[in-house]
Amino acid sequence: MDTHVQALPDERGTRIILCSGEFDTASAPQLRSALEAARADRVRRTVVDLSLVTFADSAFISVLLHAHHRQRLVLALPPPSPVRRILSLLGLDGVLHLAPDLGTAAAPDL
């Protein structure tokens, strides 16, 4: 599956980034660029929808952790997703801000 990263237009200070496919050392920079652009644009919050990500390696996890420390980041991940399982195994599900779906993650009060 091809890797795809798409940033949607900002809404109420929130940028939504949609991701799909497999993320590894070669493709993780696509997400890094989108996250850095959101930070540079000084959005209040960045929501990353990872519900269609089928594989994530350590480079991808590193991008998420780096962004978590630099900006307000919320990840939309349904409970049975492969990425949520990886984050849980690494103990990062208690560190990163996770929401079960994009609607919840993008809600103004989260």
Side-chain angles (χ1 to χ4, degrees), residues 70-105:
R70 297 177 56 117
Q71 62 204 88
R72 186 168 175 215
L73 183 68
V74 180
L75 306 177
L77 276 167
S81 78
V83 176
R84 189 179 275 263
R85 184 170 183 265
I86 292 167
L87 295 177
S88 177
L89 288 170
L90 294 171
L92 296 174
D93 54 340
V95 174
L96 299 170
H97 302 287
L98 306 181
D101 55 55
L102 182 57
T104 304

Side-chain angles (χ1 to χ4, degrees), residues 40-62:
D41 292 344
R42 298 181 178 213
V43 296
R44 287 192 328 251
R45 179 174 56 153
T46 305
V47 173
V48 182
D49 183 358
L50 302 175
S51 60
L52 297 177
V53 173
T54 57
F55 174 80
D57 74 358
S58 60
F60 181 78
I61 303 302
S62 177

